[in-house]
Amino acid sequence: MNVDETDLPGFGVRKDFMTQSGRRLGVVTHRDGETELIISAWDDPDTCQASIPLTGEEAATLGNLLGGQRIVMQLTEEHRDLPGISTRQFHIAAESPFRGHPMGKAQIRTRTSVSIVAIMREGEVLASPGPDVVLHVGDLIVAVGTEEGLDQAATILRNG
Amino acid sequence: MDPLALTLIELGAVVFALGLLARLAARIGMSPIPLYLIGGLVFGAGGLVDLGHVRDFAHLSGEIGVILLLLMLGLEYTARELFTGLRKSWQAGVMDLVLNFLPGAGIALLLGWGGVGALVMGGVTYISSSGIVAKVITDLGRLGNRETPTILAVLVFEDLAMAIYLPILTATLAGVSFLGGLQTVGISLVVVTVVFFVALRHGHRVSKAVHSENSEVFLLNVLGLALLVAGIASAMQVSAAVGAFMLGIAISGTTAHLASRLLEPLRDLFAAIFFVAFGLNTDPTTIPPVLGWALLLALVTAATKIATGWWAAARAGVAVPGRARAGAALIARGEFSIVIAGLAVTTGAVNSELAALATAYVLLMAIIGPLAARFVEPLVKAIRRPRGGGPREASARVPF
């Protein structure tokens, strides 16, 4: 993917690319570290229809959502020939009882046979996380298993 | 009454009035600069109330205001940004200089103000207001637009051009001989080059020298150094403002952000007093006779800025609406036009009509600029939209 990087003297740096649908999509990183999501207008790639200021946490969450989606898609593709196996992503909300605790405490594998294959955090992938990995609010968990197992895992992560 | 008490009361009244004006400007979404100027006109010589006591204070504060304005301008840029900006945009920058310097210089010659007047008025009409333009771009959410880097590159070029222009102007106004003038320009060029070199290679050291975790110490360091450098530059006839600008460029990284955050309120205060001080020295009765010329100059230089922005954006591959936006965004003139006119007026080397024309011109341009930037888009759309196709197109519009 060809990402254009442009200096904005006095403001910061803009990184953007063209989507297939002809929209320009990108991020302006301000000098002080603030991020802004920019989306060009539908009829004019020069104009920004929306420029959305994001806090660090919001930017990381958006990165997780997009990155997690990609992992899920890849895994789904790989599991296509294995009937009964699905991939799903779970979000650790502020009210999750496991936030701030090691993942092993939820005992997902023992209780549901579901495997947690990755955690998306601040736009980064933690592949094959061990039971010691501490869960944070905003983490996106990618899990593989049967539909029933995934339903149970969702309930466990939400309610304990 | 005790003169000190009177001065305090007058000063308090002026600063408080500035606060009200700034609030009014924010309410109606315009730059406060024209209101400050009007405030100065009302309080100044020949105005409604003559506040003679604050003039000395206002004069010195105005000088500090200019130093802070340029110091902050320097802090906003890194040396690398200035370099790449210069390399990419010099054609647009030169076009900007020629197209916008000539109308001002021309009108000064036409009105018989001579070569010095032409040099001053050319500068006044040449330089866009970085402050107003940057604010308009952020307010209208155009930071991500494709034409924005072009606009910023033109501003960078203008600010660098000021580093050459101001010493020339200072030397000319001081009546330095041709040879002496060349010497001054030579010194300033050497200084600019050295500062660039230092900023690129050793910027972190300069930053380290002024940096402190204690914000009080930091503020005193930066402010003290800025005044020192500005004073030395001024003694070398290189213009105090340029010295401050160069210091700003040499300070980089987090130190620069921290410094701008600390200095911003100070700059706002002193810059506001600077505009008032300029207004104070202008007799409002001198404005009506030059108003016609100011309007003409405003129209011509709005057109030339649009042409500049249009051309520069077109070269960057931006479509017609973006070209129009780039042109309109550059129209606003403000602080630096007044800095230039102020330099000329305080030395007394120019006609008093020049101050009146410059004031009227900046009043117009500081108002027209942001308005033009805001309304150019619907205007271009209205012109470009094929007749009859409008409603269908509007209904096809998706939220994003």
Side-chain angles (χ1 to χ4, degrees):
Chain A
M1 183 75 83
N2 198 5
V3 177
D4 291 321
E5 194 174 325
T6 318
D7 266 344
L8 300 172
F11 289 98
V13 182
R14 185 181 77 201
K15 291 177 186 161
D16 59 356
F17 61 88
M18 283 293 265
T19 62
Q20 271 191 352
S21 55
R23 307 283 289 271
R24 211 156 46 81
L25 198 62
V27 168
V28 174
T29 313
H30 289 251
R31 281 281 184 66
D32 48 16
E34 276 171 44
T35 335
E36 207 174 293
L37 176 70
I38 53 165
I39 301 161
S40 75
W42 64 281
D43 57 347
D44 175 9
D46 298 336
T47 315
C48 268
Q49 180 135 42
S51 49
I52 306 160
L54 297 175
T55 64
E57 198 184 333
E58 288 160 354
T61 305
L62 183 64
N64 285 351
L65 291 177
L66 295 169
Q69 193 58 41
R70 193 182 154 108
I71 293 185
V72 170
M73 267 157 48
Q74 275 171 357
L75 288 170
T76 312
E77 184 70 21
E78 282 166 23
H79 298 152
R80 184 180 299 195
D81 302 333
L82 302 171
I85 298 284
S86 309
T87 308
R88 218 185 277 174
Q89 42 186 335
F90 304 115
H91 188 244
I92 298 295
E95 52 273 9
S96 169
F98 296 106
R99 65 176 173 13
H101 291 287
M103 194 178 75
K105 207 178 159 206
Q107 295 186 300
I108 301 285
R109 174 100 55 124
T110 322
R111 289 158 77 182
T112 67
S113 306
V114 162
S115 294
I116 293 177
V117 295
I119 296 177
M120 300 289 302
R121 179 178 296 163
E122 289 168 6
E124 311 250 331
V125 185
L126 305 178
S128 309
D132 308 331
V133 174
V134 175
L135 296 177
H136 294 195
V137 173
D139 282 359
L140 202 71
I141 290 176
V142 181
V144 176
T146 60
E147 284 293 339
E148 305 87 60
L150 288 167
D151 287 343
Q152 285 167 14
T155 318
I156 291 171
L157 284 173
R158 200 181 310 120
N159 305 325
Chain B
M1 207 190 301
D2 173 14
L4 175 66
L6 196 60
T7 308
L8 284 179
I9 289 171
E10 286 185 3
L11 186 62
V14 169
V15 173
F16 188 73
L18 288 183
L20 293 180
L21 290 175
R23 181 192 282 190
L24 176 68
R27 177 74 53 84
I28 53 181
M30 66 179 274
S31 158
I33 294 172
L35 294 184
Y36 293 157
L37 282 173
I38 292 173
L41 286 175
V42 171
F43 289 129
L48 294 178
V49 212
D50 190 357
L51 298 180
H53 291 88
V54 296
R55 202 162 291 155
D56 285 343
F57 175 80
H59 178 66
L60 184 62
S61 309
E63 292 292 318
I64 297 177
V66 173
I67 290 168
L68 287 175
L69 268 174
L70 271 116
L71 174 67
M72 296 270 298
L73 191 66
L75 287 173
E76 270 175 29
Y77 299 128
T78 63
R80 196 181 57 84
E81 280 175 345
L82 289 177
F83 256 133
T84 42
L86 196 60
R87 221 182 42 233
K88 277 199 203 142
S89 70
W90 68 269
Q91 286 110 325
V94 169
M95 178 161 167
D96 179 38
L97 176 63
V98 173
L99 277 185
N100 295 291
F101 191 90
L102 288 183
I107 216 157
L109 289 177
L110 199 69
L111 293 174
W113 295 342
V116 180
L119 184 64
V120 174
M121 278 312 294
V124 168
T125 56
Y126 163 51
I127 188 155
S128 301
S129 162
S130 317
I132 299 180
V133 175
K135 190 169 180 324
V136 163
I137 289 175
T138 28
D139 284 356
L140 298 179
R142 291 191 187 156
L143 206 48
N145 280 14
R146 205 178 254 163
E147 79 278 4
T148 299
T150 314
I151 300 172
L152 297 177
V154 170
L155 292 184
V156 166
F157 187 93
E158 287 184 356
D159 295 335
L160 279 176
M162 283 326 248
I164 312 291
Y165 169 83
L166 284 179
I168 298 177
L169 182 70
T170 324
T172 314
L173 290 172
V176 178
S177 68
F178 183 70
L179 213 61
L182 275 186
Q183 200 183 340
T184 309
V185 173
I187 292 175
S188 75
L189 277 176
V190 169
V191 170
V192 169
T193 318
V194 169
V195 168
F196 264 125
F197 179 77
V198 171
L200 275 177
R201 293 283 163 82
H202 307 285
H204 58 284
R205 287 198 195 131
V206 180
S207 310
K208 215 171 162 186
V210 291
H211 193 82
S212 166
E213 287 304 313
N214 182 328
S215 56
E216 186 179 339
V217 175
F218 187 28
L219 182 64
L220 293 174
N221 275 353
V222 175
L223 192 62
L225 200 57
L227 295 178
L228 255 176
V229 169
I232 293 169
S234 179
M236 287 161 67
Q237 304 262 351
V238 180
S239 158
V242 169
F245 179 58
M246 288 290 136
L247 176 68
I249 288 171
I251 299 176
S252 60
T254 26
T255 313
H257 308 322
L258 208 58
S260 17
R261 210 173 320 143
L262 278 174
L263 289 171
E264 203 178 359
L266 266 188
R267 178 205 55 188
D268 292 345
L269 173 66
F270 283 107
I273 294 179
F274 162 72
F275 291 116
V276 173
F278 186 81
L280 282 177
N281 289 318
T282 312
D283 185 346
T285 54
T286 57
I287 286 190
V290 293
L291 202 57
W293 290 114
L295 260 172
L296 177 71
L297 204 53
L299 285 178
V300 171
T301 58
T304 49
K305 276 286 179 191
I306 290 178
T308 308
W310 186 286
W311 186 78
R315 272 172 49 90
V318 174
V320 169
R323 293 177 203 170
R325 282 195 302 266
L330 286 169
I331 292 176
R333 316 295 207 280
E335 62 275 28
F336 295 112
S337 302
I338 295 295
V339 167
I340 293 165
L343 263 176
V345 171
T346 43
T347 52
V350 294
N351 199 310
S352 72
E353 273 186 312
L354 190 146
L357 180 57
T359 313
Y361 174 72
V362 171
L363 280 176
L364 287 170
M365 293 315 253
I367 297 169
I368 296 173
L371 286 178
R374 188 158 308 204
F375 292 111
V376 68
E377 192 140 41
L379 188 71
V380 169
K381 280 222 171 90
I383 293 170
R384 275 164 61 89
R385 179 168 295 162
R387 290 186 195 287
R392 200 184 57 81
E393 199 178 333
S395 66
R397 189 169 263 255
V398 285
F400 276 108

